Amino acid sequence: QTPPEDEKTATALAIAFTIDHHQLQIQITMSDQHREEQEMEAEALEAIFDTAFEIRSSDQPFVWAVKLIPVDCGGDADEEEAANHVMVKLIATIPLEYPESTLPELDIEIIKGLSMDTKKELLTLANEEAEANAGMPAIFAVCEAVRTWLADNNVKGLDDASMHAQMMRKAKDAERQKAQAAQQFESQKKKEEMTQAEKEELAVRKRREEGTPVTDASFTEWWSKFCAEIEEKKEEA
């Protein structure tokens, strides 16, 4: 006997509710796992960066900030100010699905010594590093990449746009000259290797073509030596 339409509808609704409830439970479980992993990453960052690490939002999505400087002066504020010409804060907004399936949303706050152009450059670097670490906790790797850039560019005047442009031109010129020098070296090396190979091949061909010429004098000299060697062997016997 076929069940009434009301029973079919009720059964379908019950099945749909069960499926939806199960999917919701899975989503909640995954969300809890992501939150736990994010909180563990925050604890690790705090242990590494100490007071330089700041939690700006403890509600999801979490927002973290890390102060980054080229030279660690052990907390001495005066020494830190004198030794570091550039400073920034890395701001990371942590999506709910991070790090499994999404990247952190990053920003750079300039503290000292950088222009907006350098901020864009640093932000590009930070995002590239985050992409390179997709699927895993990435904030420490991003911080290290930014801090390394700061250490390599710890000079006065980068907050001046013209100074930054001049620095970038010099860096590009130096990179281009280095590439040209390497190319010239390889070209010259290849040329020298070919020249040497050609010389060796020419010498081999010449020896093959000419052979060792035999004259009366050379034959007589060889025959005398040969006979002398035979006599010596007879005497030794």
Side-chain angles (χ1 to χ4, degrees):
Q1 184 178 0
T2 304
E5 289 298 323
D6 289 345
E7 288 186 20
K8 290 182 179 180
T9 302
T11 302
L13 289 173
I15 293 172
F17 175 78
T18 302
I19 293 173
D20 289 343
H21 181 69
H22 181 63
Q23 290 177 341
L24 179 60
Q25 285 181 319
I26 293 174
Q27 290 175 355
I28 292 173
T29 301
M30 292 299 295
S31 178
D32 288 344
Q33 290 177 351
H34 292 149
R35 182 186 181 98
E36 183 178 357
E37 191 168 0
Q38 293 167 14
E39 289 175 342
M40 289 175 63
E41 183 175 3
E43 290 177 6
L45 291 171
E46 186 174 12
I48 294 169
F49 293 104
D50 197 19
T51 57
F53 177 74
E54 171 191 357
I55 296 178
R56 292 194 172 180
S57 175
S58 56
D59 295 325
Q60 288 186 296
F62 299 133
V63 180
W64 304 334
V66 185
K67 180 181 178 182
L68 299 169
I69 58 177
V71 182
D72 184 2
C73 299
D76 188 317
D78 293 336
E79 187 177 348
E80 180 180 288
E81 182 67 23
N84 295 288
H85 305 297
V86 289
M87 301 181 191
V88 300
K89 275 192 178 182
L90 175 74
I91 311 302
T93 301
I94 309 301
L96 300 183
E97 295 81 14
Y98 168 88
E100 183 179 6
S101 57
T102 57
L103 297 173
E105 299 172 11
L106 304 175
D107 195 12
I108 297 289
E109 288 183 0
I110 298 172
I111 300 176
K112 179 183 179 183
L114 297 175
S115 67
M116 291 304 297
D117 288 335
T118 50
K119 173 182 175 177
K120 291 177 182 178
E121 183 179 348
L122 266 178
L123 189 55
T124 298
L125 173 68
N127 283 316
E128 288 175 350
E129 189 65 26
E131 289 176 6
N133 290 272
M136 63 184 73
I139 304 303
F140 176 73
V142 173
C143 288
E144 279 299 287
V146 172
R147 192 200 61 77
T148 299
W149 188 98
L150 293 174
D152 292 341
N153 297 274
N154 188 26
V155 295
K156 294 180 180 180
L158 293 187
D159 49 351
D160 181 349
S162 61
M163 177 69 176
H164 175 256
Q166 184 179 3
M167 182 195 75
M168 293 301 296
R169 284 195 298 270
K170 287 182 178 180
K172 288 181 179 180
D173 288 342
E175 186 176 350
R176 183 166 54 251
Q177 290 174 3
K178 183 178 179 181
Q180 289 175 348
Q183 186 176 5
Q184 290 174 356
F185 174 77
E186 291 297 327
S187 177
Q188 182 65 27
K189 182 179 178 182
K190 186 176 181 180
K191 184 178 178 181
E192 290 175 355
E193 288 175 352
M194 289 178 64
T195 302
Q196 184 64 26
E198 288 171 355
K199 288 180 180 179
E200 292 176 357
E201 184 178 356
L202 182 62
V204 170
R205 287 181 180 178
K206 188 175 181 180
R207 287 195 298 271
R208 286 176 180 173
E209 292 173 358
E210 294 179 353
T212 303
V214 179
T215 63
D216 290 340
S218 65
F219 177 80
T220 301
E221 181 181 358
W222 172 83
W223 179 252
S224 298
K225 290 181 179 180
F226 176 76
C227 291
E229 289 176 2
I230 294 299
E231 288 297 325
E232 288 179 3
K233 289 181 180 179
K234 287 181 179 180
E235 291 176 0
E236 291 174 359

